[in-house]
């Protein structure tokens, strides 16, 4: 019953910024893990940034200092502010959530997934 809907993807030039949004519906208010994953052609899906077990926010090393995860006051929308974008950031970005997850952002631990939003970064 949980549904996640992403928005905000698009095409930008290297050095530009985008803000992705993920709205979650059907959330009961229980502790919920939410995060962003991405998958580029020919590559495995990888965690980008997520709120995992214990409410800890974790980022992929490759995006630290450039991407920022945040939530609205009701914690029903997750944002990913992406600055200083690089061509290698180009991928399909997926929002994911789970009532239960571990301490690290593993795709298999997230039961609920959005449809994905495309991010393209031109050099």
């Amino acid at each position: 019953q949980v549904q996640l809907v992403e928005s905000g993807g698009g095409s930008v030039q290297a050095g530009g910024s985008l803000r992705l949004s993920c709205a979650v519906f059907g959330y009961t208010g229980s502790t919920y893990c939410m995060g962003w994953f991405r998958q580029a052609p020919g590559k495995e899906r990888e965690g980008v940034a997520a709120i995992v077990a214990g409410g800890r926010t974790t980022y992929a090393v490759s995006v630290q200092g450039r991407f920022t995860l945040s939530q609205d006051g009701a914690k029903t929308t997750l944002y990913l502010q992406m600055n200083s974008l690089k061509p290698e950031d180009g991928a399909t970005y997926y929002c994911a959530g789970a009532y239960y997850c571990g301490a690290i952002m593993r795709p298999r631990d997230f039961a609920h997934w959005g449809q994905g939003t495309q991010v393209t970064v031109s050099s």
Side-chain angles (χ1 to χ4, degrees):
Q1 292 184 328
V2 175
Q3 183 182 13
L4 299 105
V5 181
E6 307 104 325
S7 62
S11 298
V12 297
Q13 291 184 278
S17 299
L18 283 173
R19 190 173 79 154
L20 306 183
S21 298
C22 173
V24 58
F25 302 90
Y27 174 51
T28 64
S30 300
T31 301
Y32 197 65
C33 304
M34 291 187 71
W36 290 94
F37 297 77
R38 67 187 182 189
Q39 187 167 22
K43 294 186 177 181
E44 294 293 317
R45 188 168 299 185
E46 63 176 350
V48 178
I51 301 169
V52 294
R56 177 175 177 265
T57 300
T58 185
Y59 296 90
V61 173
S62 61
V63 307
Q64 288 179 352
R66 299 187 297 119
F67 291 11
T68 303
L69 196 65
S70 63
Q71 292 179 297
D72 68 349
K75 297 187 177 181
T76 54
T77 303
L78 186 72
Y79 302 98
L80 183 67
Q81 179 66 46
M82 306 187 294
N83 297 326
S84 302
L85 283 161
K86 303 175 181 179
E88 52 263 43
D89 293 319
T92 300
Y93 283 70
Y94 297 90
C95 181
Y99 285 116
Y100 304 98
C101 69
I104 60 176
M105 45 183 179
R106 297 181 298 185
R108 72 178 184 88
D109 290 340
F110 287 74
H112 312 131
W113 292 84
Q115 64 182 357
T117 185
Q118 182 67 41
V119 172
T120 302
V121 184
S122 301
S123 61

